[in-house]
Amino acid sequence: MDPARRRKRPFGLGTYLLVLLGVGLIGGLAGGVGAMLSDQPGSLGLVLTAALMAVALAAALAACVWWWRGIDEAAREAHKWAWWWGGSSGMAVGAVLLLTLTLRDDGSTPADVGVGAAELVAGGMYAILLFQLAGYGVAWAVWWLKHR
């Protein structure tokens, strides 16, 4: 049998953990270098930070695409289903919570929390992302339990 025609075994948990660690290292390095670049004044610091983040995201995306191509069809379907239903549901729950907290005018949620607008926007983005990831995790587990 021709070795090129032989089917490869799909990636397992070890490969997933390796990609997760690699992407985490890429993010950690980019965050550390980005923090150092944030002290650079003017447009040069901004351009260098944007370029660093773009390169780090491209490297992480390439690692994820490589991993995606190596998993089997059942794992792909589990991830797609979990992201659609879990991520969407988590985003909806987070949006309801954030909108409830930010649109109240009766003083029950004081706007003077000691942070600026940029920090509030970033906090909202992180909150939505955490809700999406939590929903994704729950939906992913549900998919696998239903299909076992």
Side-chain angles (χ1 to χ4, degrees), residues 67-89:
W67 171 76
W68 183 262
R69 289 181 176 168
I71 62 175
D72 63 4
E73 190 63 28
R76 286 182 187 180
E77 286 304 311
H79 287 289
K80 288 188 283 187
W81 191 88
W83 187 247
W84 173 256
W85 292 107
S88 299
S89 299

Side-chain angles (χ1 to χ4, degrees), residues 3-147:
R5 291 186 171 268
R6 194 171 31 170
R7 295 188 67 153
K8 294 187 329 185
R9 233 176 90 211
F11 292 154
L13 181 61
T15 306
Y16 172 75
L17 293 175
L18 179 68
V19 169
L20 190 63
L21 178 67
V23 169
L25 285 173
I26 290 169
L29 286 171
V33 174
M36 290 188 288
L37 288 175
S38 69
D39 294 337
Q40 296 293 321
S43 60
L44 178 63
L46 180 65
V47 168
L48 289 175
T49 302
L52 169 73
M53 294 302 158
V55 168
L57 284 172
L61 182 61
C64 291
V65 167
W66 173 78
W67 171 76
W68 183 262
R69 289 181 176 168
I71 62 175
D72 63 4
E73 190 63 28
R76 286 182 187 180
E77 286 304 311
H79 287 289
K80 288 188 283 187
W81 191 88
W83 187 247
W84 173 256
W85 292 107
S88 299
S89 299
M91 182 175 52
V93 169
V96 166
L97 176 65
L98 289 174
L99 289 171
T100 300
L101 292 175
T102 57
L103 297 178
R104 304 272 309 182
D105 280 336
D106 62 359
S108 62
T109 57
D112 188 19
V113 291
V115 295
E119 289 87 5
L120 288 172
V121 169
M125 289 171 53
Y126 284 127
I128 292 293
L129 179 62
L130 290 175
F131 277 105
Q132 284 182 306
L133 291 174
Y136 168 84
V138 169
W140 185 83
V142 166
W143 191 93
W144 280 109
L145 288 173
K146 284 174 45 177
H147 291 87

